[in-house]
Amino acid sequence: MTVLHTGAPPSRLVTAHKPANLSRTGGRSGIGRWTMLSLRRRYREEILAYSFLWPALLILVALLIYPLVDVIRLSFHDSNLQRETWVGFGNYAALLQDPLFWRSFGQTVIFTVFSVVLHLAIGLALALLLNMQINDTFRTLARGLLIVPWLLAPTVAGMIWVLMLAPFGVFNGLLVSVGVIDANASVSWLGDPSTALGSVTAMNVWRAFPFFMVMLLAGLQAVPKQLYEAAEIDGASLPRQFWHITLPQLRGVITTIVLLDSIWSFRAFDPVFVMTGGGPAHASEVLASAIYFDGFQKLRFGYASAEAVVMFVVLFTVSAIYVRRTMSNVS
Amino acid sequence: MRTRTATLPQTISPYHLGQRNRERLLNALAYGLLVLAIIVIFFPLAWMVTVSVRPNIEVMKMPPDWIPQVFTLQGYEKIFSNKKFLVVFLNTMMVSLMVTGLSLVLGAMAAYALARFKFIGQRAVLMFLITTQMFPLVLLCIPYFRIFITLGLYDTRTSLVIVYLTFTLPFCILMLRSYFLNIPRDIEEAAMVDGCSRLGAIFRTLIPMSYPAFIGAGLYTFLLAWNEFLFAVVLIESWENRVLTMAIYSLMAEFVTEWNTMMAFSVLASLPLVIAFIFLQRFMVQGMTAGALTS
């Protein structure tokens, strides 16, 4: 009896006795009214579920699956939107030989690794501090204040950092005040190829660490207190407690958020686009900004699509790991 | 012989005192480090606010004055006197509210189906929803651009409302689903025994009971829509349809040296979210946590 776990005995009774339902299916040709009724009954769950699901599913398929297919198709064409010519794997071949593509790929990896590692380090440190025996009001207040960078739009955060990193900005001002550099020799952090990518990464670290902090704090609060009490009885020092209790207990949360953040950082567009536009001389170009510039400025839509497909393949691999982990939790 | 000190609060042994002092020291350290962290992390925000109330010449000074010497609201005046900015605020508010409303309604329907029924393809639907959250959005830009030009929706706010659903809808569905799963279905069944229709039961029991999830998901959706930038760059051309993030970016080109105006604008753009957060912190944190831990 598949109907049972809808757990709706009253409505089942109603359906069985309602003449209206019989007459609605009755007149159809081919399948007799009773067959139709039992079919309806057997697939009742499915029909009901999909009648709730279809608007969302339709929108998501139209907005995600169709564009994905379209971008794959386009990656085999040479296109400037006016006309399209089939070039087979031409775009991919050109891509693999393009030093700029490899450069932006490498810089995306650097940006991602540094972002994720620093997010984790800062997030964990602050989560541990917030989890200590401190005043509850102070904890809530501190957590609230520390989340604020995460509320800002990446564009706003980027703008603040552009101002701070400018030759006349506070970073240089600070360095001048402590006497590290001369007032006339201030650094253009975003204009110098050797510091541009690092500056953009720093902004991204500042803006997004609260996500890690909040998630890890939630994880820490779920660790059973008895574990620490037991460790204390055994005379385990704080570092040992951290290493043998806290970290193993947080492993699940850490893996999840590291996977998520890797995906988010790998596809990041706003910080680079707002702060440097990929410059100077591509020194801070990442994949997402390269795709944008190739497509919408150089109007090489086929080539940009090929880049996007490569990016998709990389992200899909990471997503697959994440989805497998999450799905095993779900069911 | 070691005993758990916590169970012997009255005992004054040297060991006990040592433990106490060590704990006190650690706590003092925690307070100190947290205050330090707050100062460092808040510095860029404080800088944004002080620059927004300075005259522009003062911004360029080297070394900088840490405290504004002259207080002025020039930057804010410029924004409030220019109609362009009001339009941008209204656009952003409208788009974000529409996206939030649509995501919650469609999301709640889908979440209900996923939480309450067993059906063919359920696992596939869930897997699809989790995957969509990981989608590289820049991949979608080129097709969206082409599609919306064909449909005549390019450079409209409608196009933004539609495309923002790609990342807000899956989140809303997953978050509401996990909340619905925790509400026993007996309550709905009881309502149906008492003569409610299925929809009546949903509206009378399930939805009122899961209001924290709705606030959390709604706030997070609003935040995502308010802060989105990439699609706004690709799909919007004219000023009258522009949203905040895009406007801030074009300000940089337009008023290249007017940092006080730009920072005033940044403050105003962040204010609604910060205020919402102050009042609804609890739900917001819930939403944030639920986004990643789908169980």
Side-chain angles (χ1 to χ4, degrees):
Chain A
M1 278 284 266
T2 47
V3 197
L4 256 184
H5 56 259
T6 33
S11 61
R12 189 154 56 94
L13 283 175
V14 171
T15 334
H17 293 297
K18 229 184 192 171
N21 251 316
L22 295 182
S23 62
R24 218 194 293 158
T25 51
R28 304 257 168 88
S29 60
I31 310 169
R33 57 148 74 146
W34 290 109
T35 330
M36 198 61 195
L37 186 66
S38 69
L39 264 179
R40 276 187 71 123
R41 210 184 271 169
R42 188 174 320 154
Y43 293 111
R44 229 181 132 249
E45 290 251 296
E46 275 74 9
I47 294 167
L48 265 175
Y50 279 103
S51 62
F52 280 108
L53 259 177
W54 73 264
L57 273 188
L58 191 74
I59 287 175
L60 288 176
V61 168
L63 284 174
L64 288 157
I65 303 300
Y66 172 74
L68 176 63
V69 174
D70 194 45
V71 90
I72 293 174
R73 187 191 62 81
L74 202 63
S75 73
F76 293 107
H77 288 79
D78 194 6
S79 161
N80 61 358
L81 286 191
Q82 246 77 74
R83 57 182 169 74
E84 284 174 11
T85 22
W86 172 263
V87 291
F89 282 94
N91 284 325
Y92 290 97
L95 196 70
L96 297 180
Q97 286 160 14
D98 185 353
L100 266 185
F101 168 75
W102 287 112
R103 187 167 178 194
S104 54
F105 193 96
Q107 283 169 178
T108 312
V109 173
I110 295 172
F111 176 82
T112 306
V113 170
F114 276 91
S115 291
V116 173
V117 169
L118 291 172
H119 281 156
L120 180 61
I122 299 174
L124 185 59
L126 289 174
L128 286 171
L129 285 176
L130 285 173
N131 197 43
M132 290 181 70
Q133 284 164 7
I134 51 174
N135 181 291
D136 267 340
T137 324
F138 180 74
R139 190 199 328 273
T140 315
L141 184 76
R143 191 190 62 180
L145 287 174
L146 290 170
I147 287 176
V148 175
W150 190 76
L151 300 174
L152 295 193
T155 33
V156 170
M159 208 57 72
I160 299 173
W161 280 67
V162 168
L163 170 66
M164 293 198 309
L165 293 165
F168 56 84
V170 281
F171 273 100
N172 283 313
L174 205 65
L175 292 180
V176 170
S177 313
V178 286
V180 178
I181 55 166
D182 190 67
N184 305 315
S186 54
V187 190
S188 171
W189 297 94
L190 294 168
D192 187 328
S194 59
T195 51
L197 187 64
S199 304
V200 176
T201 314
M203 187 288 270
N204 191 49
V205 168
W206 175 76
R207 199 192 67 80
F209 80 87
F211 174 74
F212 276 73
M213 183 186 78
V214 169
M215 299 289 300
L216 289 169
L217 183 59
L220 281 173
Q221 283 169 349
V223 179
K225 292 274 176 292
Q226 296 96 305
L227 290 178
Y228 293 108
E229 280 164 17
E232 214 134 282
I233 293 168
D234 293 341
S237 65
L238 278 182
R240 282 181 69 97
Q241 289 182 20
F242 174 74
W243 193 251
H244 292 289
I245 301 173
T246 314
L247 270 188
Q249 289 282 323
L250 286 180
R251 217 179 64 192
V253 184
I254 291 178
T255 322
T256 308
I257 53 181
V258 162
L259 280 172
L260 262 180
D261 193 44
S262 309
I263 294 164
W264 291 342
S265 301
F266 198 82
R267 69 179 192 189
F269 169 81
D270 313 14
V272 168
F273 188 76
V274 171
M275 290 177 73
T276 62
H282 302 286
S284 60
E285 197 83 88
V286 291
L287 275 181
S289 64
I291 293 169
Y292 176 85
F293 287 120
D294 280 331
F296 293 94
Q297 293 203 337
K298 298 186 191 155
L299 300 180
R300 297 165 71 195
F301 284 96
Y303 187 77
S305 300
E307 283 181 292
V309 171
V310 172
M311 188 179 180
F312 176 75
V313 171
V314 175
L315 282 181
F316 193 78
T317 321
V318 185
S319 305
I321 306 170
Y322 176 77
V323 172
R324 270 182 65 156
R325 281 184 55 84
T326 322
M327 285 304 283
S328 60
N329 287 342
V330 163
S331 49
Chain B
M1 262 275 275
R2 308 188 89 163
T3 359
R4 261 178 59 196
T5 45
T7 54
L8 305 164
Q10 301 303 317
T11 322
I12 302 176
S13 68
Y15 173 75
H16 181 71
L17 270 181
Q19 178 84 353
R20 252 275 184 63
N21 281 336
R22 203 182 65 161
E23 245 162 47
R24 266 195 202 148
L25 189 75
L26 274 174
N27 277 349
L29 203 67
Y31 280 111
L33 285 174
L34 275 173
V35 169
L36 187 73
I38 292 171
I39 291 171
V40 171
I41 281 154
F42 243 69
F43 179 74
L45 296 161
W47 195 245
M48 162 174 79
V49 177
T50 69
V51 168
S52 76
V53 294
R54 286 170 197 239
N56 209 40
I57 338 149
E58 215 185 284
V59 181
M60 305 286 189
K61 228 163 153 188
M62 191 73 194
D65 295 319
W66 299 103
I67 294 157
Q69 303 297 304
V70 186
F71 179 88
T72 167
L73 290 175
Q74 267 175 12
Y76 291 91
E77 270 165 34
K78 210 161 222 158
I79 284 165
F80 284 113
S81 62
N82 194 336
K83 253 219 169 112
K84 268 171 144 185
F85 293 113
L86 187 71
V87 171
V88 163
F89 271 101
L90 280 178
N91 283 344
T92 317
M93 190 58 91
M94 242 159 64
V95 169
S96 307
L97 285 177
M98 287 281 284
V99 173
T100 308
L102 275 173
S103 308
L104 286 181
V105 172
L106 299 178
M109 282 168 65
Y112 182 78
L114 284 165
R116 286 292 189 260
F117 299 113
K118 280 238 156 33
F119 58 92
I120 303 165
Q122 190 166 26
R123 240 184 113 78
V125 170
L126 268 177
M127 208 137 98
F128 172 63
L129 288 175
I130 297 168
T131 328
T132 55
Q133 287 188 301
M134 317 286 113
F135 233 73
L137 298 178
V138 72
L139 174 84
L140 304 168
C141 278
I142 299 167
Y144 284 169
F145 182 67
R146 288 151 45 94
I147 294 165
F148 285 118
I149 285 181
T150 321
L151 294 177
L153 283 173
Y154 175 70
D155 197 17
T156 60
R157 283 156 293 181
T158 319
S159 68
L160 289 186
V161 174
I162 297 171
V163 299
Y164 287 0
L165 290 176
T166 51
F167 51 88
T168 60
L169 197 47
F171 168 78
C172 281
I173 299 176
L174 291 174
M175 180 170 174
L176 293 174
R177 169 184 169 271
S178 57
Y179 208 89
F180 289 168
L181 280 176
N182 287 332
I183 294 178
R185 66 176 72 197
D186 308 11
I187 297 173
E188 265 163 273
E189 278 161 21
M192 288 201 279
V193 172
D194 289 347
C196 276
S197 64
R198 184 180 280 276
L199 276 180
I202 294 171
F203 276 106
R204 275 168 213 225
T205 61
L206 188 68
I207 290 181
M209 284 176 79
S210 37
Y211 81 97
F214 278 95
I215 297 178
L219 265 177
Y220 191 74
T221 302
F222 190 84
L223 176 93
L224 289 179
W226 187 273
N227 288 347
E228 205 283 335
F229 179 58
L230 177 60
F231 292 139
V233 170
V234 174
L235 296 176
I236 298 294
E237 178 110 61
S238 53
W239 251 105
E240 357 8 315
N241 294 324
R242 231 163 243 198
V243 289
L244 273 171
T245 46
M246 176 72 199
I248 287 172
Y249 179 69
S250 31
L251 261 191
M252 193 157 66
E254 222 172 302
F255 303 94
V256 75
T257 48
E258 287 192 32
W259 282 104
N260 57 353
T261 315
M262 290 201 31
M263 286 302 115
F265 195 43
S266 300
V267 170
L268 292 174
S270 321
L271 221 49
L273 294 176
V274 174
I275 292 173
F277 175 75
I278 290 170
F279 288 108
L280 302 163
Q281 205 194 118
R282 188 161 61 92
F283 304 107
M284 194 87 157
V285 171
Q286 253 176 27
M288 214 165 148
T289 327
L293 300 180
T294 334
S295 54

